[in-house]
Amino acid sequence: HVAEVHSVVVKAALRGLGIGRRLMQAAIKCAISKSYRRIDLAGVKNPTAIKLYESLGFAQTGSNEQGVCMTLSLNASAA
């Protein structure tokens, strides 16, 4: 099983408060609880978002016309 996150958006006035990190941590925990093997992201363009995802363990796997593709393997993830 593979989970896909299509979009995570935090209102501009609320950025920098850790909301995006908490949302992604919750998504990771949910995917782990449902025995997903990995989480895939596609079309990530925002450099700040890319840094956030990398800090959560996501690795860049390539790119497409929409942006960077990333994946997180959940077999050893401890989010």
Side-chain angles (χ1 to χ4, degrees):
H1 293 28
V2 176
E4 296 179 3
V5 175
H6 292 274
S7 181
V8 176
V9 179
V10 176
K11 188 175 180 177
L14 300 174
R15 292 183 188 148
L17 301 175
I19 295 168
R21 176 174 299 279
R22 289 194 303 271
L23 286 169
M24 286 306 299
Q25 287 171 330
I28 293 166
K29 285 183 182 182
C30 181
I32 290 170
S33 75
K34 303 217 181 270
S35 300
Y36 282 87
R37 293 181 295 120
R38 73 175 198 260
I39 300 175
D40 288 344
L41 307 170
V44 183
K45 293 180 182 176
N46 182 316
T48 302
I50 292 169
K51 288 179 187 177
L52 168 66
Y53 298 137
E54 288 176 335
S55 77
L56 291 168
F58 284 83
Q60 293 188 31
T61 57
S63 62
N64 60 31
E65 62 279 349
Q66 296 156 339
V68 175
C69 300
M70 304 181 83
T71 192
L72 174 67
S73 175
L74 296 176
N75 40 352
S77 179

